[in-house]
Amino acid sequence: MKQVHEHYPANGRVVLHLDMNAFYCSVHEAEEPDVYRGKPTAVAGSVELRKGIIVTCSYAARSRGVKTGMTVREGLRLCPELILISPDFDLYRKYSRGFMSIARQYTPLVEPVSIDECYLDITGSKVFGTPLEIASAIQSRIRSEWSLPCSVGIAPNKLLAKMASDIKKPNGLSILRIRDVPSVLWDKPSETLFGIGNKTAEKLRRLNLYTIGQVATANEGLLINQFGVMGAWLKQAANGLDDSPVNPDRERNKSIGHTTTLPHDVRKRDDVRRVLLNLADQTCRRMRRQQLVTATVQITIRTPDMKTITRSTTLTTPTESTDEVYREACQLFDRHWKEEKPIRLLGVTLQNLTSRREAAIQLDLFGYKEQPKKAALTKTMDELRNKFGESAVLTAGMLGEDPSTLIRNRKIRGTSLQLDEGLLYIEE
């Protein structure tokens, strides 16, 4: 594959994909080079407990076998001199805005994908030079102005630009054209094609389709029969085809919230807590569906005379947990609503949202050993609601009475299950 690209293509687009290398660790190195430059570092939650999960690690740490997703204990066993750093999301957002601002100086068509990557459509940016010159200039400026390394992929579409940026890290600059796809990509495992997850790859292997090339040459009817509309996409993607636009207006939800006007004014804290639990559950479910986590919880309280107050708190670590959002909402209410005045409306809003992948530290929120069980339960509850509706699964706190009593008195029909965290009611 050539590593030079002198001119713009006669037809079609030119897309860049900027991918910051070991972003969180690189930010800390940029802030304190005397402390971190060239050293094995890792950003992890619950650093003090040594049970946290490594969110990302420097290339010096990776050379020692340290990997994202390891426990801190495992990382220290492989690399005893590993320097552990607590996450600082305000700092990461500052640097993210910095490198994005450089990108936008070359084209208005910049689509942020996450805190550490974005696409640029530079088809109309000939005034700044050739695609390679533009990519090189952006990479150089990010390094000189923000002291951050990044890899850049140059391609005729987003899919190949993303694949190209992964070819060489750190500080890579790679070009991938459609005519390069058979020689560069087809011998690679199917799961390395961007957009294919482990489950899809496993299903492809059951069809004896192990490589990207085998998917590219597979019968499209077979793929559609097995994967539905995704089957057609699989064949196109494996051939390097992608017509999705670079969308500068695509922006992650800045907040997810839900309010409810109560059927009658409430005063008692138990009633308020039940409503807050329901609101926390609904907002967190919507957030998880979008693969996001929240760093700020806000509550809204409105009285019968329409006076409205909002209060918020920022978490030390982003979360997707209904339990934690509910706990923070209750603490906000207790702190700012001392008197038992009547309440007409309540709301819970989740703010400062980031991608779950960017903030892959949820394992620390409940404790390393307990989290997998809680995560599995949450996933099951979400799947049940997706299939049977919102009211299919209710926690005891939402009902206000013991579900067993309600069932026994024939007020509701259903099954109650005793779980570690309390009673769960599943409607039949």
Side-chain angles (χ1 to χ4, degrees), residues 8 11 15 115 134 181 214 245 261 280 295 320 349 387:
Y8 283 79
N11 298 301
V15 176
I115 198 169
I134 293 173
V181 169
Q214 289 173 328
T261 300
E320 63 175 9
T349 302
K387 186 173 183 179

Side-chain angles (χ1 to χ4, degrees), residues 200-249:
T200 300
E202 183 180 342
K203 192 171 182 179
L204 286 169
R205 286 192 289 270
R206 291 200 294 267
L207 297 172
N208 293 320
L209 302 175
Y210 296 94
T211 67
I212 294 175
Q214 289 173 328
V215 177
T217 56
N219 180 276
E220 185 172 348
L222 169 67
L223 294 174
I224 292 174
N225 181 58
Q226 293 293 323
F227 297 95
V229 292
M230 186 185 176
W233 175 85
L234 284 170
K235 187 172 179 68
Q236 287 186 340
N239 281 284
L241 304 177
D242 173 30
D243 59 3
S244 60
V246 174
N247 182 6
D249 297 323

